Amino acid sequence: EQARAQGPVLVVDAGSLLYSQSPLPAALVPEETLKANLLASIYQRDLKVDALGLGPADLALGASGVKLDREVANVTDQGLPIAPAHVTMAGGVKVGTFGVIAPGAVKGIDVADPVAAGKRAVSELRGQGAAVVIALVQASSKKDAVQLVRDIGGIDFAVAGLGQSAPEPDRVEIEPTQIGDAWLVIPANRGQVVSRVDVYVRDGGPFADAIGAGAATAKAAEIDREIADLDADLARFAHDPTADPKFVAQKQRERAQLVAKRDRLRARPLEPPARGSFFTLDQLRIAKGLACAVAVQDAVTQFDLAAGQANVKAADDTPVPPVDKGQASYVGMDKCDDCHHDAVEFWTKTVHAQAWQTLVDRGQQFSYECINCHITGWEQPGGTNLAHNENLRNIQCETCHGPASIHVAKHGDEKPPAIRRGPAEELCATQCHTHEHSDTFQHDAYMRDIVGPGHGEALRKKLGDGPTGHELRKAALDKAGRALGAGCTR
């Protein structure tokens, strides 16, 4: 909306947007179908996407689940909604778009030679008067995308979808990659960064990168980090009598060059050429505050409730995986309380004991994307699933110690013990506290929150003083709160 208020806008996307994985497990189909319908509606109604490619995450439900027309020059019908390359008028300029898929980048469909198909599409678009040609490229790697753009030729801008290789936001490239006269742009994974390219057409000819204010700010910040690293090195050299003076002098010259480059960027962020067409690229991270907008929160809550209802209905007749003969099943924390009252009492005061309620507060207690980290024995033999979990809600004892039915039945006298003394050290970081969901996680800090009197007291003493998980989370939330404002529940 901000961009459209400033001038003509063309929205394009390389694809791979509808589903979280492919193929989809049957249990995820109801929720993923609702999500795909919502995304398709937003792309058409709100974003008004002009050209959309086809990627691996679009085919989880086959051709019928693709939903939107896709521009792919090297794919025949195959029941898919394939759209031809086309020209759109934007700001008095004819802009042509087409898409290609590299061999192997999208499984489940047959693709023809992308280079030959791309060359034909470029020729057709130029023949229709396109002053700007945009390619939507699906490839397995940046290297493959670069090679395709180079081999096809005649492209001005290419947007690459890289499937699982798409970069995380902190690794997105703030500068486009030049490939002859073409420029390749790679947005971040999961729609977390929008790549905005402001295009200025004049006098024809290839486009020059004029940098622009947004990119200049990002580059200056990157240079600041390089200068800080050099300063740290120079400080060490100053106290090292064996340091080579020539090497130190070289490092000082590098620092001076970086400072000069940074200052130029800050003084003159936009550097258009004297003649010819040019552009600027800004990799715009989606504002976290957007999730705090009341309309967005209401819409997400409404979606989560609808998805949860669909999931429960679909899962109601699905039993919990059975236990093999002689193996333990899950019994719930109440059984543990009979012999380990002090440990259970301590545990009920930890945040893990409120894990289910945090989902209920947000209407996400029946979301497959959330429930597995807020429940015990998720889809384990004798454990829980989405529709059957009443006595195992929250993170209970058996999450770390394993299913306890044998241990309970034998009153703890079994040899060897049928439960674990404690979790494997990597359990937390690999199971739930991944960077995506728990970016403040530090093993020892978080352990300080969940061991203590009656429950691992010796381990708590061994961990000693230091930050707790609660303190790390609070600091991060306070920082986010200052940036986002009060009252955001997401």
Side-chain angles (χ1 to χ4, degrees):
E1 289 175 354
Q2 290 172 352
R4 287 190 171 111
Q6 297 168 2
V9 170
L10 206 63
V11 181
V12 301
D13 191 300
S16 202
L17 72 121
L18 290 181
Y19 306 99
S20 65
Q21 52 185 290
S22 183
L24 272 177
L28 293 182
V29 170
E31 179 174 343
E32 290 282 328
T33 299
L34 284 172
K35 185 170 66 175
N37 290 339
L38 178 61
L39 285 166
S41 173
I42 289 170
Y43 263 56
Q44 288 180 307
R45 184 190 67 236
D46 301 315
L47 297 181
K48 299 179 177 63
V49 174
D50 183 76
L52 180 61
L54 182 69
D58 295 319
L59 291 164
L61 295 179
S64 63
V66 172
K67 301 184 182 299
L68 301 168
D69 289 348
R70 310 302 180 110
E71 288 195 11
V72 192
N74 62 324
V75 170
T76 54
D77 186 89
Q78 300 177 52
L80 295 164
I82 300 298
H86 76 285
V87 171
T88 300
M89 188 68 75
V93 175
K94 288 186 175 181
V95 181
T97 56
F98 74 97
V100 288
I101 299 175
V106 180
K107 293 180 173 59
I109 58 172
D110 297 324
V111 299
D113 178 6
V115 175
K119 286 182 177 293
R120 286 194 298 272
V122 170
S123 177
E124 291 170 7
L125 294 170
R126 294 296 187 190
Q128 295 174 47
V132 181
V133 170
I134 302 170
L136 309 177
V137 178
Q138 274 292 337
S140 300
S141 67
K142 178 183 176 181
K143 180 181 177 182
D144 291 344
V146 168
Q147 190 63 51
L148 259 182
V149 173
R150 178 177 289 115
D151 291 345
I152 292 171
I155 295 167
D156 294 306
F157 300 98
V159 179
L162 302 181
Q164 294 299 316
S165 299
E168 293 297 320
D170 57 352
R171 295 184 176 274
V172 72
E173 296 178 357
I174 59 176
E175 297 181 76
T177 299
Q178 186 170 13
I179 310 165
D181 289 337
W183 296 91
L184 176 68
V185 176
I186 303 176
N189 194 10
R190 298 190 303 279
Q192 296 172 95
V193 170
V194 171
S195 302
R196 172 174 169 159
V197 183
D198 285 277
V199 180
Y200 302 82
V201 179
R202 61 181 191 184
D203 305 330
F207 289 85
D209 181 4
I211 302 178
T217 298
K219 289 180 183 181
E222 195 173 83
I223 292 172
D224 278 336
R225 289 190 289 272
E226 293 180 44
I227 292 171
D229 290 342
L230 271 176
D231 285 343
D233 290 339
L234 289 168
R236 284 195 299 273
F237 296 150
H239 295 89
D240 181 1
T242 65
D244 182 351
K246 291 184 178 179
F247 181 75
V248 173
Q250 174 61 34
K251 290 295 180 183
Q252 290 170 334
R253 286 193 294 272
E254 289 178 16
R255 186 188 187 283
Q257 291 168 355
L258 286 171
V259 169
K261 182 178 180 181
R262 179 200 62 192
D263 292 346
R264 281 198 306 273
L265 284 170
R266 288 175 174 166
R268 297 179 60 228
L270 183 65
E271 297 183 353
R275 299 184 59 188
S277 301
F278 63 97
F279 72 96
T280 63
L281 167 65
D282 284 338
Q283 296 283 27
L284 302 173
R285 188 185 292 248
I286 294 297
K288 291 184 178 180
L290 183 63
C292 298
V294 173
V296 175
Q297 293 190 75
D298 289 346
V300 173
T301 298
Q302 183 180 11
F303 173 82
D304 286 336
L305 289 171
Q309 291 168 359
N311 288 338
V312 172
K313 182 179 180 181
D316 196 44
D317 295 329
T318 304
V320 171
V323 179
D324 291 338
K325 185 177 180 180
Q327 299 299 307
S329 61
Y330 291 80
V331 295
M333 193 162 61
D334 288 347
K335 296 292 185 182
C336 306
D337 191 34
D338 293 341
C339 297
H340 302 282
H341 176 74
D342 289 348
V344 170
E345 185 177 34
F346 178 90
W347 190 256
T348 57
K349 297 183 173 95
T350 70
V351 294
H352 290 82
Q354 307 302 319
W356 179 263
Q357 188 61 44
T358 63
L359 294 185
V360 173
D361 292 343
R362 295 165 58 146
Q364 294 175 316
Q365 67 269 37
F366 298 115
S367 167
Y368 278 105
E369 290 189 358
C370 304
I371 187 173
N372 59 310
C373 285
H374 294 251
I375 201 168
T376 298
W378 174 250
E379 294 194 333
Q380 296 299 309
T384 57
N385 64 16
L386 187 133
H388 306 285
N389 54 50
E390 288 78 6
N391 71 320
L392 290 169
R393 292 172 178 174
N394 299 314
I395 304 305
Q396 301 186 20
C397 310
E398 291 165 292
T399 296
C400 295
H401 298 285
S405 62
I406 294 174
H407 181 72
V408 169
K410 294 185 178 294
H411 304 287
D413 291 332
E414 75 280 5
K415 297 287 189 294
I419 60 169
R420 298 187 295 266
R421 291 282 297 174
E425 185 165 331
E426 70 276 7
L427 175 72
C428 306
T430 57
Q431 183 164 302
C432 291
H433 290 283
T434 60
H435 179 74
E436 179 185 348
H437 295 112
S438 185
D439 58 2
T440 61
F441 178 74
Q442 294 178 18
H443 179 270
D444 287 358
Y446 275 53
M447 287 297 290
R448 290 186 181 99
D449 285 337
I450 62 172
V451 291
H455 183 253
E457 188 168 1
L459 175 58
R460 180 64 184 86
K461 290 178 180 177
K462 182 179 178 181
L463 290 169
D465 294 333
T468 65
H470 172 74
E471 290 168 347
L472 295 178
R473 288 192 302 275
K474 184 178 185 304
L477 288 169
D478 287 347
K479 180 179 179 181
R482 288 193 297 273
L484 302 179
C488 183
T489 63
R490 294 188 180 277

